[in-house]
Amino acid sequence: DIRALAFSQRGHGQSGKPRSGYALDSLVRDAVAFLDAMRIDRAVIAGHSMGAAVAALLAARHPHRVASPGLLGAFADFRFNAGVIEPKQDAQRLVDPIDPDFARAFQASTIIRMDDDEFLDLVVSDSQALPAFAWRALVDGLMTRELPAGFGRIVAPAFLVWGDGGVVVP
């Protein structure tokens, strides 16, 4: 009885890779546009890491559209997170094509224990599909947006998931 849909944010996977629009505000608008295109009035919205920030802001700004946000590996604030500083510096130096060693190291840094090499290969490939300009814009967008105020405006019951061994999301 569950209808589950997923979309890739701009720049990711097979999605379009425009030169601009990677701020969280734009990503939230993209999510609303997806709901509209699918004719979904209200839904449970799940997001992981950056997607959790998008889901949280969507729930805060459009409470009538979000029955519950599922926030997996959610950040309270990217700007002061020590685990994000090195990836931000690395993103500033990226060039296309994205170095597979960088993509693998980035993805491995977000995982405490990986039991599935095929999945790791999949997310590394997805990371390589994101152009260098999009990496920089997304990291800058995450670092300049204050999320705590958005979290404070969520009225729907939220589902939070995180691990106790995380470096980026402690």
Side-chain angles (χ1 to χ4, degrees):
D1 294 334
I2 295 174
R3 178 180 179 209
L5 302 172
F7 77 101
S8 294
Q9 291 282 356
R10 63 176 66 208
H12 292 76
Q14 300 299 312
S15 290
K17 296 169 181 23
R19 295 295 297 183
S20 63
Y22 293 92
L24 282 175
D25 292 339
S26 296
L27 302 179
V28 170
R29 282 193 298 274
D30 289 348
V32 170
F34 177 77
L35 291 173
D36 291 345
M38 297 290 105
R39 295 186 167 96
I40 299 169
D41 294 326
R42 188 167 169 82
V44 172
I45 305 293
H48 171 253
S49 189
M50 177 194 75
V54 173
L57 290 175
L58 178 62
R61 293 178 185 168
H62 304 277
H64 61 286
R65 303 294 301 264
V66 180
S68 177
L71 310 175
L72 294 81
F75 290 79
D77 195 334
F78 287 95
R79 296 171 304 149
F80 307 111
N81 187 309
V84 177
I85 293 170
E86 186 177 343
K88 177 179 171 39
Q89 293 167 342
D90 290 343
Q92 300 310 315
R93 295 187 290 268
L94 285 177
V95 295
D96 291 317
I98 301 301
D99 179 2
D101 292 335
F102 165 79
R104 185 166 294 280
F106 171 78
Q107 290 297 343
S109 75
T110 68
I111 302 167
I112 296 303
R113 186 185 76 232
M114 175 50 69
D115 294 330
D116 187 343
D117 289 336
E118 286 182 38
F119 177 74
L120 182 59
D121 291 343
L122 174 69
V123 294
V124 167
S125 176
D126 235 24
S127 294
Q128 288 180 268
L130 190 65
F133 70 82
W135 273 95
R136 287 188 289 277
L138 284 166
V139 171
D140 287 346
L142 291 171
M143 296 297 280
T144 60
R145 178 71 173 119
E146 189 175 333
L147 291 172
F151 285 124
R153 289 191 308 269
I154 297 172
V155 295
F159 182 71
L160 301 169
V161 178
W162 72 95
D164 62 359
V167 175
V168 177
V169 182

